[in-house]
Amino acid sequence: MEYISTRANHQPVSAGEAIRLGMVPGGGLFVPQSFPAYQPAAGQGANWSYDQLARDILGLYLTDYDPAALAAMVDAAYYGGQFDAGIAPVVPVGENAILELWHGPTAAFKDMALQLTPRLLTAAVAQSGQEQETVILVATSGDTGKAALEGFKNVPGIKIIVFYPAQGVSPIQELQMRVTDGDNTYVAAVEGNFDDCQTAVKQLFADAALEAKLAAAGKRFSSANSINWGRLLPQIVYYYYGYGQMVSQGLVEPGRPIDVVVPTGNFGNILAAYYAQRMGLPLGRLVCASNRNNVLTEAIASGHYNSRRPFYKTTSPSMDILISSNFERFLFEMLDRDGQACAGLYQQLAATGAFACPQAQARWEGLLWGGCASEEEGAAAIAQTWKQHHYLLDPHTAVAVAVAQQYRQQQEAAPLLIVSTASPFKFPRAALSALGADTSGPEGALCDRLSQVTGWPVHPALQGVEQKPLRHHARIPREGIGAYVEEVLGLR
Ligand SMILES: *Cc1c(COP(=O)(O)O)cnc(C)c1O
């Protein structure tokens, strides 16, 4: 399987090369040349194991990797004690089924991929025979940062540098990142928002002069964001796994479609659902749930992507995004893989902050549905779900639940699988506030209080995080990201 650029500006590369590069030098994202059909051998859902699904799906796309090595990576990523037993359990909550993706080491769904990505990357570097140090640049809206730090820390041949918006992540998310140990980890708070971080990082990737300087020093950039194929691919697996559990729990007839509702920021998670659908998993509609930053809701309905709008900080910070990177990969498909057309739209986005794609919009109608929830609607979903079902939602999942409600009211829905992306203990203030409980006092105390109020145990990844020493202190202006990277790498 080879990988091509969404902007028709690169020759096809192997999977290993796509993962090693992270994104297309000069802009654009790598996508697989085709989507292999996949039907798990073990019946129609009831016996699908995570392990087998992951090995099969990775194998179909990573044809230049040794299957035995892939199996060992899957085993080490998901069965080495990082995840509790269910890995990604489906829990029925009222008329919805919730796919819990936060049972990993940092309590957010990013772990599902990022326990594997570093293994895929180091194998690709080894295979390339180049003795280069790989420098992972990460822009994070909160959860990717910590998950990537945990995945990449102390991995030989790698340095990881994480940028997060100084006021744009939750206090617990910030603490989680700043206490990270490891001799190859760097974390900087940026005075700006997530889009500033992401745009700056993408510019560094596209900077040819810097690339030459890095090469001379024996280094090369790569990415742990969902622009990297090695981060996106593992996410296809849990849609199959979730479907299989819905079948085994009697929530859907084998082979019948389900709709999925995904709380969306960078469009990576929902894109993985789309890819699963292309491979033959019976997913009906993909419902894209946004918070008050509803650029995607508008784009999906109108075909007009307009990032020139106010940026709101919300209680679901991982979705506070105006430029959803992976929408480009989806758009590429809706444009019938016309890379020139896709490049044109993204040049327009870079120049003007907006583009219109009415023909593509006509293609996704019936496939993609968008909705958004206000802060109040999100909080109401937390309160209502708790009251009715004694199930505790985090504020991101709450946005999805609120949008699922709108969706049911407006459309004929198949059985719904709602993707839950974070443990509520990552956002205790929002959860307590929605439940009408006391939110005074330090953040660490809020986790324990949320546990007392609900009887839910604090997620193991978050126990005692406020007692750990802070190891990272950098704070930089948004124009300073390039200089910071050069300083860390000793290039200036
Ligand atoms: C990253 C994240 C999202 C958004 O996922 P994308 O793949 O960027 O769309 C949603 N919720 C949480 C908790 C996240 O960490």
Side-chain angles (χ1 to χ4, degrees), residues 35-41 43-50 52-54 56-58 60-61 88 90 99 101 233-248 252 258 260 272-283 417:
F35 295 103
Y38 175 57
Q39 171 66 40
Q44 286 200 290
N47 304 314
W48 297 358
S49 74
Y50 205 92
Q52 188 66 48
L53 293 172
D56 289 352
I57 292 170
L58 294 175
L60 286 170
Y61 285 98
V90 168
L99 176 61
L101 298 181
L233 171 59
Q235 298 183 209
I236 297 173
V237 176
Y238 53 70
Y239 285 100
Y240 274 89
Y241 191 60
Y243 184 86
Q245 289 177 79
M246 283 186 74
V247 170
S248 64
V252 66
I258 60 168
V260 293
Y274 170 70
Y275 287 172
Q277 187 194 55
R278 290 290 300 263
M279 296 172 72
L281 185 67
L283 303 183
L417 182 64

Side-chain angles (χ1 to χ4, degrees), residues 339-426:
Q340 307 290 353
C342 195
L345 293 177
Y346 277 86
Q347 270 149 21
Q348 218 172 314
L349 183 70
T352 69
F355 63 76
C357 52
Q359 304 90 327
Q361 196 264 340
R363 286 284 306 276
W364 69 60
E365 216 142 16
L367 162 62
L368 188 63
W369 195 86
C372 59
S374 65
E375 291 291 90
E376 294 74 24
E377 289 166 324
I382 295 176
Q384 197 188 17
T385 305
W386 179 252
K387 202 163 142 222
Q388 293 179 347
H389 308 292
H390 259 61
Y391 185 87
L392 188 58
L393 300 171
D394 100 286
H396 303 76
T397 311
V399 166
V401 168
V403 168
Q405 231 161 34
Q406 301 168 12
Y407 175 64
R408 276 185 207 286
Q409 281 160 10
Q410 297 174 32
Q411 304 279 330
E412 181 103 24
L416 282 194
L417 182 64
I418 296 188
V419 176
S420 175
T421 47
S423 157
F425 288 92
K426 258 189 132 155

